[in-house]
CSV table of all heavy atoms in Angstrom, one decimal:
chain,number,residue,atom,x,y,z
A,42,ASP,N,4.3,6.3,4.1
A,42,ASP,CA,2.9,5.8,4.1
A,42,ASP,C,2.6,5.2,2.7
A,42,ASP,O,1.9,4.2,2.5
A,42,ASP,CB,1.9,6.9,4.4
A,42,ASP,CG,1.9,7.2,5.9
A,42,ASP,OD1,2.5,6.5,6.7
A,42,ASP,OD2,1.2,8.2,6.2
A,43,ILE,N,3.0,5.9,1.7
A,43,ILE,CA,2.8,5.5,0.3
A,43,ILE,C,3.5,4.1,0.0
A,43,ILE,O,2.9,3.2,-0.6
A,43,ILE,CB,3.2,6.5,-0.7
A,43,ILE,CG1,2.2,7.7,-0.7
A,43,ILE,CG2,3.3,6.0,-2.1
A,43,ILE,CD1,2.7,9.0,-1.4
A,44,ALA,N,4.7,4.0,0.5
A,44,ALA,CA,5.5,2.8,0.4
A,44,ALA,C,4.8,1.6,1.1
A,44,ALA,O,4.6,0.5,0.5
A,44,ALA,CB,6.9,2.9,0.9
A,45,ASP,N,4.3,1.9,2.3
A,45,ASP,CA,3.5,0.9,3.0
A,45,ASP,C,2.2,0.5,2.3
A,45,ASP,O,1.9,-0.7,2.2
A,45,ASP,CB,3.1,1.4,4.4
A,45,ASP,CG,4.4,1.5,5.3
A,45,ASP,OD1,5.4,0.9,5.0
A,45,ASP,OD2,4.2,2.2,6.4
A,46,MET,N,1.5,1.5,1.8
A,46,MET,CA,0.3,1.1,1.0
A,46,MET,C,0.6,0.3,-0.2
A,46,MET,O,-0.1,-0.6,-0.6
A,46,MET,CB,-0.5,2.4,0.7
A,46,MET,CG,-1.1,3.1,1.9
A,46,MET,SD,-2.3,4.4,1.5
A,46,MET,CE,-1.3,5.5,0.6
A,47,ARG,N,1.7,0.7,-0.9
A,47,ARG,CA,2.1,-0.1,-2.1
A,47,ARG,C,2.4,-1.5,-1.8
A,47,ARG,O,2.0,-2.4,-2.5
A,47,ARG,CB,3.3,0.6,-2.8
A,47,ARG,CG,2.9,1.8,-3.6
A,47,ARG,CD,4.1,2.4,-4.4
A,47,ARG,NE,3.6,3.5,-5.2
A,47,ARG,CZ,4.4,4.5,-5.4
A,47,ARG,NH1,5.7,4.5,-5.0
A,47,ARG,NH2,4.0,5.5,-6.1
A,48,ASN,N,3.1,-1.7,-0.7
A,48,ASN,CA,3.5,-3.0,-0.2
A,48,ASN,C,2.2,-3.8,0.1
A,48,ASN,O,2.1,-5.0,-0.2
A,48,ASN,CB,4.5,-3.0,0.9
A,48,ASN,CG,5.9,-2.6,0.5
A,48,ASN,OD1,6.2,-2.8,-0.7
A,48,ASN,ND2,6.6,-2.1,1.4
A,49,ASP,N,1.3,-3.2,0.9
A,49,ASP,CA,0.1,-3.8,1.3
A,49,ASP,C,-0.7,-4.2,0.0
A,49,ASP,O,-1.3,-5.3,0.0
A,49,ASP,CB,-0.8,-2.9,2.2
A,49,ASP,CG,-0.2,-2.7,3.6
A,49,ASP,OD1,0.8,-3.5,3.9
A,49,ASP,OD2,-0.6,-1.8,4.3
A,50,HIS,N,-0.8,-3.3,-0.9
A,50,HIS,CA,-1.6,-3.6,-2.1
A,50,HIS,C,-0.9,-4.7,-2.9
A,50,HIS,O,-1.6,-5.6,-3.4
A,50,HIS,CB,-1.6,-2.3,-3.0
A,50,HIS,CG,-2.3,-2.5,-4.3
A,50,HIS,ND1,-3.7,-2.6,-4.4
A,50,HIS,CD2,-1.9,-2.5,-5.6
A,50,HIS,CE1,-4.0,-2.8,-5.6
A,50,HIS,NE2,-2.9,-2.7,-6.4
A,51,LYS,N,0.4,-4.7,-3.0
A,51,LYS,CA,1.1,-5.7,-3.7
A,51,LYS,C,0.8,-7.1,-3.1
A,51,LYS,O,0.6,-8.1,-3.7
A,51,LYS,CB,2.6,-5.5,-3.7
A,51,LYS,CG,3.4,-6.5,-4.5
A,51,LYS,CD,4.9,-6.1,-4.5
A,51,LYS,CE,5.7,-7.1,-5.3
A,51,LYS,NZ,7.1,-6.8,-5.3
A,52,MET,N,0.9,-7.1,-1.7
A,52,MET,CA,0.6,-8.4,-1.0
A,52,MET,C,-0.8,-8.8,-1.2
A,52,MET,O,-1.1,-10.0,-1.5
A,52,MET,CB,0.9,-8.2,0.5
A,52,MET,CG,2.4,-8.1,0.8
A,52,MET,SD,2.8,-7.8,2.5
A,52,MET,CE,1.7,-8.7,3.5
A,53,HIS,N,-1.7,-7.9,-1.2
A,53,HIS,CA,-3.2,-8.2,-1.4
A,53,HIS,C,-3.4,-8.8,-2.8
A,53,HIS,O,-4.1,-9.8,-3.0
A,53,HIS,CB,-4.0,-7.0,-1.2
A,53,HIS,CG,-5.5,-7.2,-1.4
A,53,HIS,ND1,-6.2,-8.0,-0.6
A,53,HIS,CD2,-6.3,-6.8,-2.4
A,53,HIS,CE1,-7.5,-8.0,-1.1
A,53,HIS,NE2,-7.5,-7.3,-2.1
A,54,VAL,N,-2.7,-8.2,-3.8
A,54,VAL,CA,-2.9,-8.7,-5.2
A,54,VAL,C,-2.3,-10.0,-5.3
A,54,VAL,O,-2.8,-10.9,-6.0
A,54,VAL,CB,-2.2,-7.7,-6.2
A,54,VAL,CG1,-2.1,-8.2,-7.6
A,54,VAL,CG2,-3.1,-6.4,-6.2
A,55,GLU,N,-1.1,-10.3,-4.7
A,55,GLU,CA,-0.5,-11.6,-4.7
A,55,GLU,C,-1.4,-12.6,-4.1
A,55,GLU,O,-1.5,-13.7,-4.6
A,55,GLU,CB,0.9,-11.5,-4.1
A,55,GLU,CG,2.0,-10.8,-4.8
A,55,GLU,CD,2.2,-11.3,-6.2
A,55,GLU,OE1,2.3,-12.5,-6.4
A,55,GLU,OE2,2.4,-10.5,-7.1
A,56,GLU,N,-2.0,-12.3,-3.0
A,56,GLU,CA,-2.9,-13.2,-2.3
A,56,GLU,C,-4.1,-13.5,-3.2
A,56,GLU,O,-4.5,-14.7,-3.3
A,56,GLU,CB,-3.4,-12.6,-1.0
A,56,GLU,CG,-2.3,-12.6,0.1
A,56,GLU,CD,-2.8,-11.8,1.3
A,56,GLU,OE1,-3.9,-11.2,1.4
A,56,GLU,OE2,-2.0,-11.7,2.3
A,57,LEU,N,-4.6,-12.5,-3.9
A,57,LEU,CA,-5.8,-12.7,-4.8
A,57,LEU,C,-5.3,-13.6,-6.0
A,57,LEU,O,-6.1,-14.5,-6.4
A,57,LEU,CB,-6.3,-11.4,-5.3
A,57,LEU,CG,-7.1,-10.5,-4.4
A,57,LEU,CD1,-7.4,-9.2,-5.0
A,57,LEU,CD2,-8.3,-11.2,-3.9
A,58,LYS,N,-4.1,-13.4,-6.5
A,58,LYS,CA,-3.6,-14.2,-7.6
A,58,LYS,C,-3.5,-15.6,-7.2
A,58,LYS,O,-3.8,-16.6,-7.9
A,58,LYS,CB,-2.3,-13.6,-8.1
A,58,LYS,CG,-2.5,-12.4,-9.0
A,58,LYS,CD,-1.1,-11.7,-9.3
A,58,LYS,CE,-0.1,-12.6,-10.0
A,58,LYS,NZ,1.1,-11.9,-10.3
A,59,GLU,N,-2.9,-15.8,-6.0
A,59,GLU,CA,-2.7,-17.2,-5.5
A,59,GLU,C,-4.1,-17.9,-5.2
A,59,GLU,O,-4.3,-19.1,-5.6
A,59,GLU,CB,-1.9,-17.2,-4.2
A,59,GLU,CG,-1.7,-18.5,-3.6
A,59,GLU,CD,-0.8,-19.5,-4.5
A,59,GLU,OE1,-0.1,-19.0,-5.4
A,59,GLU,OE2,-0.9,-20.7,-4.2
A,60,ALA,N,-5.0,-17.2,-4.7
A,60,ALA,CA,-6.4,-17.7,-4.4
A,60,ALA,C,-7.0,-18.1,-5.8
A,60,ALA,O,-7.6,-19.2,-5.9
A,60,ALA,CB,-7.2,-16.8,-3.7
A,61,HIS,N,-6.9,-17.2,-6.8
A,61,HIS,CA,-7.4,-17.4,-8.1
A,61,HIS,C,-6.8,-18.6,-8.7
A,61,HIS,O,-7.4,-19.5,-9.4
A,61,HIS,CB,-7.3,-16.2,-9.0
A,61,HIS,CG,-7.8,-16.4,-10.3
A,61,HIS,ND1,-9.1,-16.4,-10.6
A,61,HIS,CD2,-7.1,-16.5,-11.5
A,61,HIS,CE1,-9.2,-16.6,-11.9
A,61,HIS,NE2,-8.1,-16.6,-12.5
A,62,ARG,N,-5.4,-18.7,-8.6
A,62,ARG,CA,-4.7,-19.8,-9.2
A,62,ARG,C,-5.2,-21.2,-8.6
A,62,ARG,O,-5.4,-22.1,-9.3
A,62,ARG,CB,-3.2,-19.7,-8.9
A,62,ARG,CG,-2.4,-20.7,-9.6
A,62,ARG,CD,-1.0,-20.8,-9.1
A,62,ARG,NE,-0.9,-21.2,-7.7
A,62,ARG,CZ,-1.1,-22.5,-7.2
A,62,ARG,NH1,-1.5,-23.4,-8.1
A,62,ARG,NH2,-1.1,-22.7,-6.0
A,63,LYS,N,-5.4,-21.2,-7.3
A,63,LYS,CA,-5.9,-22.4,-6.6
A,63,LYS,C,-7.3,-22.7,-7.1
A,63,LYS,O,-7.6,-23.9,-7.3
A,63,LYS,CB,-5.9,-22.2,-5.1
A,63,LYS,CG,-4.6,-22.2,-4.4
A,63,LYS,CD,-4.6,-22.0,-3.0
A,63,LYS,CE,-3.3,-22.1,-2.3
A,63,LYS,NZ,-3.3,-21.8,-0.9
A,64,GLU,N,-8.2,-21.7,-7.2
A,64,GLU,CA,-9.5,-22.0,-7.7
A,64,GLU,C,-9.5,-22.5,-9.1
A,64,GLU,O,-10.3,-23.4,-9.4
A,64,GLU,CB,-10.4,-20.7,-7.6
A,64,GLU,CG,-10.7,-20.3,-6.2
A,64,GLU,CD,-11.4,-18.9,-6.1
A,64,GLU,OE1,-11.7,-18.3,-7.2
A,64,GLU,OE2,-11.6,-18.4,-5.0
A,65,VAL,N,-8.7,-21.9,-10.0
A,65,VAL,CA,-8.6,-22.4,-11.3
A,65,VAL,C,-8.1,-23.8,-11.4
A,65,VAL,O,-8.6,-24.7,-12.1
A,65,VAL,CB,-7.7,-21.5,-12.2
A,65,VAL,CG1,-7.3,-22.1,-13.5
A,65,VAL,CG2,-8.4,-20.1,-12.4
A,66,GLU,N,-7.1,-24.1,-10.5
A,66,GLU,CA,-6.6,-25.5,-10.5
A,66,GLU,C,-7.7,-26.5,-10.0
A,66,GLU,O,-7.9,-27.6,-10.5
A,66,GLU,CB,-5.4,-25.6,-9.6
A,66,GLU,CG,-4.8,-27.0,-9.4
A,66,GLU,CD,-4.3,-27.5,-10.8
A,66,GLU,OE1,-4.0,-26.8,-11.7
A,66,GLU,OE2,-4.2,-28.8,-10.9
A,67,GLU,N,-8.5,-26.1,-9.0
A,67,GLU,CA,-9.6,-26.9,-8.5
A,67,GLU,C,-10.6,-27.1,-9.6
A,67,GLU,O,-11.1,-28.2,-9.7
A,67,GLU,CB,-10.2,-26.3,-7.2
A,67,GLU,CG,-9.3,-26.3,-6.0
A,67,GLU,CD,-9.9,-25.5,-4.9
A,67,GLU,OE1,-11.0,-24.9,-5.0
A,67,GLU,OE2,-9.2,-25.4,-3.8
A,68,LEU,N,-10.9,-26.1,-10.3
A,68,LEU,CA,-11.9,-26.2,-11.4
A,68,LEU,C,-11.3,-27.1,-12.5
A,68,LEU,O,-12.1,-27.9,-13.1
A,68,LEU,CB,-12.2,-24.8,-12.0
A,68,LEU,CG,-13.1,-24.0,-11.2
A,68,LEU,CD1,-13.2,-22.6,-11.8
A,68,LEU,CD2,-14.5,-24.6,-11.1
A,69,ARG,N,-10.0,-27.0,-12.8
A,69,ARG,CA,-9.4,-27.9,-13.8
A,69,ARG,C,-9.5,-29.3,-13.4
A,69,ARG,O,-9.9,-30.2,-14.2
A,69,ARG,CB,-8.0,-27.5,-14.0
A,69,ARG,CG,-7.3,-28.2,-15.2
A,69,ARG,CD,-5.8,-28.0,-15.2
A,69,ARG,NE,-5.2,-28.7,-14.1
A,69,ARG,CZ,-5.0,-30.0,-14.0
A,69,ARG,NH1,-5.5,-30.9,-14.9
A,69,ARG,NH2,-4.4,-30.5,-12.9
A,70,VAL,N,-9.2,-29.6,-12.1
A,70,VAL,CA,-9.3,-31.0,-11.6
A,70,VAL,C,-10.8,-31.5,-11.6
A,70,VAL,O,-11.1,-32.6,-12.1
A,70,VAL,CB,-8.8,-31.1,-10.1
A,70,VAL,CG1,-9.1,-32.4,-9.5
A,70,VAL,CG2,-7.3,-30.8,-10.2
A,71,GLU,N,-11.7,-30.6,-11.2
A,71,GLU,CA,-13.1,-31.0,-11.3
A,71,GLU,C,-13.6,-31.3,-12.7
A,71,GLU,O,-14.3,-32.2,-12.9
A,71,GLU,CB,-14.0,-29.8,-10.7
A,71,GLU,CG,-15.4,-30.2,-10.5
A,71,GLU,CD,-16.2,-29.0,-9.8
A,71,GLU,OE1,-15.6,-28.2,-9.1
A,71,GLU,OE2,-17.4,-29.0,-10.1
A,72,MET,N,-13.2,-30.5,-13.7
A,72,MET,CA,-13.5,-30.7,-15.0
A,72,MET,C,-12.9,-32.0,-15.5
A,72,MET,O,-13.6,-32.8,-16.3
A,72,MET,CB,-13.0,-29.5,-15.9
A,72,MET,CG,-13.9,-28.3,-15.8
A,72,MET,SD,-13.2,-26.9,-16.7
A,72,MET,CE,-13.0,-27.5,-18.3
A,73,GLU,N,-11.7,-32.3,-15.1
A,73,GLU,CA,-11.1,-33.6,-15.5
A,73,GLU,C,-11.8,-34.7,-14.9
A,73,GLU,O,-12.1,-35.7,-15.6
A,73,GLU,CB,-9.6,-33.6,-15.1
A,73,GLU,CG,-8.7,-34.5,-15.8
A,73,GLU,CD,-8.6,-34.3,-17.3
A,73,GLU,OE1,-8.6,-33.1,-17.8
A,73,GLU,OE2,-8.7,-35.3,-18.0
A,74,ASP,N,-12.3,-34.6,-13.7
A,74,ASP,CA,-13.1,-35.7,-13.1
A,74,ASP,C,-14.4,-35.8,-13.8
A,74,ASP,O,-14.8,-37.0,-14.0
A,74,ASP,CB,-13.4,-35.3,-11.6
A,74,ASP,CG,-12.1,-35.4,-10.7
A,74,ASP,OD1,-11.1,-36.0,-11.2
A,74,ASP,OD2,-12.2,-34.9,-9.6
A,75,MET,N,-15.0,-34.7,-14.2
A,75,MET,CA,-16.3,-34.8,-14.9
A,75,MET,C,-16.1,-35.5,-16.3
A,75,MET,O,-16.9,-36.3,-16.7
A,75,MET,CB,-16.9,-33.4,-15.1
A,75,MET,CG,-17.4,-32.8,-13.8
A,75,MET,SD,-18.1,-31.2,-14.0
A,75,MET,CE,-19.5,-31.5,-15.0
A,76,LYS,N,-15.0,-35.2,-16.9
A,76,LYS,CA,-14.7,-35.8,-18.2
A,76,LYS,C,-14.5,-37.3,-18.0
A,76,LYS,O,-15.1,-38.1,-18.8
A,76,LYS,CB,-13.4,-35.2,-18.8
A,76,LYS,CG,-13.6,-33.9,-19.5
A,76,LYS,CD,-12.4,-33.1,-19.9
A,76,LYS,CE,-11.4,-33.9,-20.7
A,76,LYS,NZ,-10.2,-33.1,-21.0
A,77,CYS,N,-13.9,-37.7,-17.0
A,77,CYS,CA,-13.7,-39.1,-16.7
A,77,CYS,C,-15.0,-39.8,-16.4
A,77,CYS,O,-15.3,-40.9,-16.9
A,77,CYS,CB,-12.7,-39.3,-15.6
A,77,CYS,SG,-11.0,-38.9,-16.0
A,78,SER,N,-15.8,-39.1,-15.6
A,78,SER,CA,-17.2,-39.7,-15.3
A,78,SER,C,-18.0,-39.8,-16.5
A,78,SER,O,-18.7,-40.8,-16.7
A,78,SER,CB,-17.9,-38.8,-14.3
A,78,SER,OG,-17.2,-38.7,-13.1
A,79,HIS,N,-18.0,-38.8,-17.4
A,79,HIS,CA,-18.8,-38.8,-18.6
A,79,HIS,C,-18.2,-39.9,-19.5
A,79,HIS,O,-19.0,-40.7,-20.2
A,79,HIS,CB,-18.7,-37.5,-19.3
A,79,HIS,CG,-19.5,-36.4,-18.7
A,79,HIS,ND1,-19.7,-35.2,-19.2
A,79,HIS,CD2,-20.2,-36.4,-17.5
A,79,HIS,CE1,-20.5,-34.5,-18.4
A,79,HIS,NE2,-20.8,-35.2,-17.3
A,80,ARG,N,-16.9,-40.1,-19.6
A,80,ARG,CA,-16.3,-41.1,-20.4
A,80,ARG,C,-16.8,-42.5,-19.9
A,80,ARG,O,-17.1,-43.4,-20.7
A,80,ARG,CB,-14.8,-41.0,-20.4
A,80,ARG,CG,-14.1,-41.8,-21.4
A,80,ARG,CD,-12.6,-41.6,-21.4
A,80,ARG,NE,-12.3,-40.2,-21.6
A,80,ARG,CZ,-11.5,-39.4,-20.8
A,80,ARG,NH1,-11.0,-39.9,-19.7
A,80,ARG,NH2,-11.3,-38.1,-21.1
A,81,GLU,N,-16.7,-42.6,-18.6
A,81,GLU,CA,-17.1,-43.9,-18.0
A,81,GLU,C,-18.6,-44.2,-18.2
A,81,GLU,O,-19.0,-45.3,-18.6
A,81,GLU,CB,-16.8,-43.9,-16.5
A,81,GLU,CG,-17.1,-45.2,-15.8
A,81,GLU,CD,-16.7,-45.1,-14.3
A,81,GLU,OE1,-15.8,-44.4,-14.0
A,81,GLU,OE2,-17.4,-45.9,-13.5
A,82,PHE,N,-19.4,-43.1,-18.1
A,82,PHE,CA,-20.9,-43.3,-18.3
A,82,PHE,C,-21.1,-43.7,-19.8
A,82,PHE,O,-21.9,-44.6,-20.0
A,82,PHE,CB,-21.6,-42.0,-18.0
A,82,PHE,CG,-23.1,-42.0,-18.4
A,82,PHE,CD1,-24.0,-42.7,-17.6
A,82,PHE,CD2,-23.4,-41.4,-19.6
A,82,PHE,CE1,-25.3,-42.7,-18.0
A,82,PHE,CE2,-24.8,-41.4,-20.0
A,82,PHE,CZ,-25.7,-42.0,-19.2
A,83,LEU,N,-20.5,-43.0,-20.7
A,83,LEU,CA,-20.7,-43.3,-22.1
A,83,LEU,C,-20.2,-44.7,-22.4
A,83,LEU,O,-20.9,-45.4,-23.2
A,83,LEU,CB,-19.9,-42.3,-22.9
A,83,LEU,CG,-20.1,-42.4,-24.4
A,83,LEU,CD1,-21.6,-42.1,-24.8
A,83,LEU,CD2,-19.2,-41.3,-25.2
A,84,GLY,N,-19.1,-45.1,-21.8
A,84,GLY,CA,-18.7,-46.5,-22.0
A,84,GLY,C,-19.7,-47.5,-21.5
A,84,GLY,O,-20.0,-48.5,-22.2
A,85,HIS,N,-20.3,-47.3,-20.3
A,85,HIS,CA,-21.3,-48.2,-19.8
A,85,HIS,C,-22.6,-48.1,-20.8
A,85,HIS,O,-23.2,-49.2,-21.0
A,85,HIS,CB,-21.7,-47.8,-18.4
A,85,HIS,CG,-20.7,-48.1,-17.4
A,85,HIS,ND1,-20.1,-49.3,-17.2
A,85,HIS,CD2,-20.1,-47.3,-16.5
A,85,HIS,CE1,-19.2,-49.3,-16.3
A,85,HIS,NE2,-19.2,-48.0,-15.8
Side-chain angles (χ1 to χ4, degrees):
D42 288 349
I43 289 170
D45 289 344
M46 287 190 305
R47 282 185 179 148
N48 287 336
D49 290 347
H50 179 72
K51 183 178 179 180
M52 288 173 40
H53 179 68
V54 169
E55 290 299 322
E56 289 170 0
L57 287 175
K58 283 171 55 177
E59 180 63 20
H61 178 71
R62 187 196 62 73
K63 286 179 181 178
E64 289 174 5
V65 168
E66 180 61 23
E67 289 171 2
L68 286 172
R69 189 192 67 72
V70 168
E71 187 177 334
M72 285 175 52
E73 202 58 40
D74 290 345
M75 288 176 72
K76 282 170 48 178
C77 290
S78 296
H79 288 184
R80 192 176 303 123
E81 186 177 330
F82 171 78
L83 186 60
H85 291 305

